Amino acid sequence: MKEYLIKIVNLIKSIFLRIVKLVHLPLEEWVHITQDYQNVSSVRKNFFFPCIMLVLSLTFINALFKWSDLVFSEFLRDTLVRFSSLFAGVYFSVLLLNEVLRIKWVAGEASDKDNFYGCFTLTVFSSSIMWCMDMIQMFIPPFFFLAVLNIYVAYVIWCGLPILFRQLGDNHKGLLTLIAFALMFLIPRAVGYVMLRIIE
């Protein structure tokens, strides 16, 4: 049991360190990310799934802090909506970004597997910064202004594009950064909204 807890703590620590480094030195950290996570499976297993579990766990802890006001059905609803927005939001963003790249910029220049890896890695790690800011705002509501800092994620994406897609020319980097950022920011919120309407 103790070893299991130590592994969990180390995993959480590594996730936060990765996010901090990605914010602080995005160019260097994208290189390290491609070295540490060489396929979609490793990104899923070692970063994406742990991140989702961490966000859901923090959501549960936040609900416990508000236990006196908590309605269990609302808690289940909010948890389902959050999970859907994270999980489906990432995959829809990845699929759409991959399609944009395939049709517009990198068709025939790289394998579909490489493109999907690049899209998945870019989306998961960039989105993790937004998830981190959401968690801070959830626990400390006066920090609502942090939402503005989501714009910085566009710079992180801009830094990651030439590292994840080496065949992409500089001429397309700005437009693709805007497209990728818009997908990562809007699609999870759209998924959450749709799920909320379905549940209600």
Side-chain angles (χ1 to χ4, degrees), residues 97 122 130 147-155 157 175-187:
L97 182 58
L122 184 73
M130 296 190 223
V148 176
L149 298 180
N150 279 319
I151 295 171
Y152 182 76
V153 176
Y155 174 68
I157 294 169
L175 179 58
L176 188 54
T177 296
L178 292 175
I179 292 172
F181 176 73
L183 291 173
M184 293 174 205
F185 185 78
L186 296 175
I187 288 183

Side-chain angles (χ1 to χ4, degrees), residues 134-189:
D134 286 344
M135 292 300 99
I136 293 171
Q137 291 173 68
M138 183 173 69
F139 280 98
I140 314 173
F143 282 16
F144 65 90
F145 59 87
L146 283 178
V148 176
L149 298 180
N150 279 319
I151 295 171
Y152 182 76
V153 176
Y155 174 68
V156 174
I157 294 169
W158 187 81
C159 291
L161 284 173
I163 295 167
L164 293 165
F165 305 99
R166 298 187 184 279
Q167 71 277 25
L168 188 69
D170 285 340
N171 294 335
H172 307 303
K173 213 163 75 163
L175 179 58
L176 188 54
T177 296
L178 292 175
I179 292 172
F181 176 73
L183 291 173
M184 293 174 205
F185 185 78
L186 296 175
I187 288 183
R189 286 159 177 78

Side-chain angles (χ1 to χ4, degrees), residues 8 12-13 16 22 31 42 50 60 70 94 113 139 150 177:
I8 292 175
I12 292 171
K13 182 181 175 182
F16 278 115
L22 191 57
V31 174
S42 65
F60 177 73
L70 181 66
V94 169
K113 185 177 179 181
F139 280 98
N150 279 319
T177 296

Side-chain angles (χ1 to χ4, degrees), residues 69-128:
D69 302 324
L70 181 66
V71 177
F72 188 67
S73 60
E74 290 179 4
F75 168 71
L76 287 178
R77 179 199 66 194
D78 293 346
T79 302
L80 180 60
V81 168
R82 185 174 289 277
F83 175 78
S84 300
S85 67
L86 289 174
F87 191 81
V90 162
Y91 275 97
F92 282 138
S93 299
V94 169
L95 291 172
L96 287 171
L97 182 58
N98 189 52
E99 195 63 20
V100 168
L101 279 164
R102 188 182 66 79
I103 292 172
K104 186 72 178 174
W105 286 296
V106 296
E109 296 180 33
S111 71
D112 289 339
K113 185 177 179 181
D114 290 340
N115 286 341
F116 188 81
Y117 162 77
C119 292
F120 190 76
T121 304
L122 184 73
T123 301
V124 168
F125 284 94
S126 299
S127 297
S128 69

Side-chain angles (χ1 to χ4, degrees), residues 36-54:
D36 295 341
Y37 306 89
Q38 297 182 353
N39 53 52
V40 170
S41 178
S42 65
V43 175
R44 261 197 307 249
K45 180 181 176 183
N46 300 310
F47 194 85
F48 180 46
F49 290 158
C51 264
I52 287 182
M53 293 308 298
L54 182 58

